[in-house]
Amino acid sequence: MRSTWLVHGSAVAAAVLLGVSGPLLMTAQAWPVQAAHLVLSAGWSWAALAFGVGTRARSLAGSAALGTYALVIAVFAYYLVKAAQGKFATMDMSDPAGPAASTYFSWNGFLSVTLLWSVAACLLGPLLGMAGYAARHGPCRMPYLWVVPVVAAAETTLRLGAEAAGAEPVAVATWTTVRVLAFLALLAATARPVALHFRRRPAAARDHRDTPARPTPPPPEDR
């Protein structure tokens, strides 16, 4: 029971941390912090959250639940911070006293975008959570280990193709680095089963050599 609470508590803490970190780091000037903001706000990081908590589940159904509510909590944490930063502040342009005098919080804007991404979390969270569980407990783990690196490689490739021309150098460097690391992770996930296979073969051969040979019966003329 204690370990179950620990798993769920860790999932909630990771979701809140991911959700608040992206917008909080957005206004930083130091390039390492800007790079951290780009990484933590990227779609592949959110996929890694659901995948990672899924690896800690004790069952396939539990991994689906963990992946789902971790993403939903992260979505609410993200947009609550954005709301506190004034993202959904709206001015009434028809106020005769002037727009600045009638600034109000747009609940419609906040709820619509939060619910939209919560629905996306409910659709993708179970799949990513179960992929994480299968990557740790499944009989064929390699395809599931590809999930997060493939998402990271695809997202960074699209960003480098569509946004690199107008992006800051730190953004281009961050996306390029993440893409290289994603391809290395894919290579490692692919090579791991092969390495384990060849590691087992010498052990099996050694065990076979160490088995004492059965005595050969003497030929008839020696009897």
Side-chain angles (χ1 to χ4, degrees):
M1 179 64 70
R2 184 177 178 181
S3 61
T4 301
W5 281 107
L6 181 62
V7 168
H8 287 266
S10 301
V12 172
V16 172
L17 182 62
L18 178 64
V20 304
S21 296
L24 287 178
L25 299 177
M26 184 172 57
T27 57
Q29 299 299 320
W31 71 263
V33 184
Q34 293 179 10
H37 157 69
L38 292 169
V39 170
L40 295 172
S41 300
W44 70 267
S45 293
W46 291 61
L49 169 67
F51 183 92
V53 299
T55 63
R56 310 307 302 171
R58 293 187 171 185
S59 66
L60 192 62
S63 67
L66 275 173
T68 302
Y69 77 70
L71 284 184
V72 171
I73 291 172
V75 167
F76 273 87
Y78 179 89
Y79 283 109
L80 284 173
V81 174
K82 297 290 282 185
Q85 292 174 334
K87 170 70 174 177
F88 302 100
T90 305
M91 296 181 182
D92 186 358
M93 305 301 293
S94 63
D95 192 334
S102 57
T103 302
Y104 64 95
F105 182 79
S106 175
W107 283 101
N108 182 48
F110 172 76
L111 291 176
S112 61
V113 71
T114 304
L115 291 177
L116 173 65
W117 285 107
S118 295
V119 170
C122 291
L123 294 175
L124 297 175
L127 300 177
L128 291 166
M130 289 188 292
Y133 179 85
R136 186 176 183 183
H137 302 285
C140 183
R141 304 178 186 181
M142 185 171 65
Y144 301 101
L145 293 173
W146 291 343
V147 171
V148 176
V150 165
V151 173
E155 182 179 0
T156 51
T157 299
L158 289 174
R159 288 187 178 275
L160 287 169
E163 304 176 30
E168 295 289 335
V170 64
V172 176
T174 301
W175 295 333
T176 303
T177 302
V178 170
R179 183 168 66 170
V180 171
L181 293 175
F183 281 114
L184 290 176
L186 281 171
L187 181 62
T190 305
R192 182 176 179 273
V194 178
L196 290 176
H197 173 72
F198 281 103
R199 186 183 300 175
R200 293 191 190 102
R201 287 189 63 186
R206 185 170 56 252
D207 293 342
H208 179 71
R209 274 197 316 272
D210 294 341
T211 303
R214 297 178 63 181
T216 304
E221 60 271 13
D222 295 341
R223 293 178 183 173

